[in-house]
Amino acid sequence: MIATQIRQKDALFYFASYPSEKLLSQVRFISRYYAEEGEGIRPGEVPADDDVAQFISRIERSDKAFQRDLSQAKARAIKNFYETAISQPPIPGTVLLFTPQKLHFEAWTDGSGIGRLQEPSEKFLIIDGQHRLAALEFYRRSHPEEAKSIQVPCVIFDGRSEDFATEMFVIINSTTTRINKSHLVDLYERVSWAEPDRRYSAHIAEMLYSEGDSPLRYRINRLGGRSRQEKWILQAELFNEIHRWVKKEWRKISAAGTDRRAAARHYEIIRDFLKAAAQAWGEAWGDPAFMVTKPVTLKAMVRVCADLASADAEPAETRPARWRDRLAPWNGQIREFRNEGFYERFPAKGQVERVARIHRELDRAIDLIPRGRASD
């Protein structure tokens, strides 16, 4: 194919215009897509040793319940755009493709950077643009002649490591109009430029979602508005509170180790705290009629956990019993956390101020006033 070679610093990639019919035969989808007529695109098999495809597949399917509805609605909307776009390009943005194969490029001698690029022996992985190409496939099925005239702008990355493709996925999808911020928490440990304190905090957030003994297991929303399951808090919100705590203790944490095994210590602290909190709140824990397990209170409780851990984290063996007794006074505050009248009982100018206020009230109820804290 004819392509333009582009060099930016140490990066080398290609820009090409692909005829839609040819491109659709050269890419593999790793998610299932549906058209409004009920027909679909089956996902290709994701080999266990293909780290890039496995990674993107996990992001696409973080919560099984959302995929069919999301894919059908989004693909339908884009297909409709293809059908109605007349004076503007139907595919205004480039599709990003990846192949681990190093492609041979034979440049023309005029110095323009244009030349002939070898096509890969296996299908491209779509780093960004799966929904656009799925909609294009459905459009091709219903309007085959019109689809033949569409040229798809593509940026092609070749011969790169899995970490490079992952970093590209994060960079491209870091805007609010694309991947939800809660997804990005899952990516910190995969990108080379992620700050170690963020990576460490992401380990803790992931364990709170997945570990069998976590009181928040499967209650953390990693999909934003797309989730179709009952969740208590956005992963991004929880991550921010954990990171707030980690940053304060980072000098001590970094001296002791910062890998996933080291992060397990902080996970165990939060786990023990939340178990003690669940016992203290009794039937109000998880009850939708109360604000106990709503984001505003959960965030405040993570701050209380940080305060309590600073004063009384060790010995770990007796911590669950100690903290269960310590948090017992919260049971007397259950009425204050009913949904009805909650915002009048905890007036504030916004969520940030309200979290700080609840944090102070919960600390005060258990006689825990961190040294040197005048206010949040």
Side-chain angles (χ1 to χ4, degrees), residues 64-76:
K64 295 178 182 178
F66 91 94
Q67 186 60 54
R68 176 174 179 132
D69 290 342
L70 175 68
S71 297
Q72 187 171 359
K74 192 167 185 179
R76 184 194 304 120

Side-chain angles (χ1 to χ4, degrees), residues 271-281 320 323-325 327-328:
R271 176 203 63 196
D272 291 347
F273 175 85
L274 291 173
K275 285 184 176 182
Q279 290 182 309
W281 292 114
W323 285 9
R324 184 176 61 247
D325 293 340
L327 300 186

Side-chain angles (χ1 to χ4, degrees), residues 1-44:
M1 72 180 114
I2 304 302
T4 301
Q5 187 181 68
I6 300 171
R7 183 182 297 276
Q8 295 181 357
K9 295 185 178 179
D10 294 331
L12 192 66
F13 53 94
Y14 303 92
F15 177 83
S17 177
Y18 246 119
S20 62
E21 197 164 25
K22 185 177 182 182
L23 176 59
L24 290 171
S25 68
Q26 288 287 97
V27 297
R28 55 186 171 126
F29 293 92
I30 59 175
S31 295
R32 180 181 294 276
Y33 293 92
Y34 297 88
E36 53 192 311
E37 297 83 7
E39 59 182 339
I41 299 174
R42 293 178 58 83

Side-chain angles (χ1 to χ4, degrees), residues 75-248:
R76 184 194 304 120
I78 299 173
K79 176 175 176 284
N80 181 68
F81 177 69
Y82 293 161
E83 293 172 337
T84 56
I86 297 176
S87 60
Q88 55 188 346
I91 305 181
T94 53
V95 171
L96 272 68
L97 307 175
F98 170 77
T99 175
Q101 183 180 343
K102 181 62 180 175
L103 303 179
H104 175 69
F105 180 73
E106 184 178 346
W108 293 352
T109 58
D110 61 358
S112 63
I114 301 174
R116 186 169 295 278
L117 179 67
Q118 169 197 2
E119 292 187 286
S121 56
E122 296 184 355
K123 292 185 176 183
F124 286 110
L125 177 69
I126 306 165
I127 296 180
D128 187 60
Q130 280 206 87
H131 280 91
R132 278 170 281 162
L133 292 185
L136 181 58
E137 169 62 23
F138 293 132
Y139 179 67
R140 183 179 68 135
R141 295 180 188 182
S142 58
H143 301 76
E145 293 304 315
E146 292 90 336
K148 286 180 182 179
S149 67
I150 294 179
Q151 297 275 328
V152 182
C154 300
V155 172
I156 299 169
F157 300 94
D158 72 317
R160 301 288 183 163
S161 69
E162 290 84 355
D163 286 342
F164 172 84
T166 301
E167 291 188 22
M168 286 301 304
F169 186 84
V170 175
I171 293 167
I172 290 157
N173 289 286
S174 292
T175 67
T176 55
T177 59
R178 296 183 183 266
I179 193 167
N180 185 274
K181 288 183 179 180
S182 287
H183 280 324
L184 295 179
V185 177
D186 297 327
L187 314 185
Y188 281 126
E189 62 182 295
R190 294 295 304 270
V191 294
S192 61
W193 42 259
E195 298 92 334
D197 54 322
R198 290 183 177 275
R199 196 177 299 125
Y200 185 89
S201 302
H203 285 318
I204 300 169
E206 191 279 327
M207 284 186 274
L208 284 169
Y209 179 86
S210 62
E211 292 295 321
D213 59 354
S214 170
L216 296 184
R217 191 184 192 195
Y218 304 145
R219 296 294 190 178
I220 300 169
N221 185 346
R222 300 196 288 187
L223 292 169
R226 300 173 181 174
S227 179
R228 299 292 185 266
Q229 301 175 4
E230 182 186 351
K231 307 293 185 180
W232 290 349
I233 188 170
L234 282 170
Q235 181 168 255
E237 293 180 289
L238 180 64
F239 169 83
N240 287 341
E241 291 302 328
I242 295 170
H243 185 231
R244 182 179 188 268
W245 176 16
V246 165
K247 282 184 67 176
K248 288 181 178 179

Side-chain angles (χ1 to χ4, degrees), residues 260-274:
R260 183 182 174 87
R261 183 177 299 178
R265 176 181 174 273
H266 271 81
Y267 162 71
E268 290 167 0
I269 290 173
I270 299 180
R271 176 203 63 196
D272 291 347
F273 175 85
L274 291 173

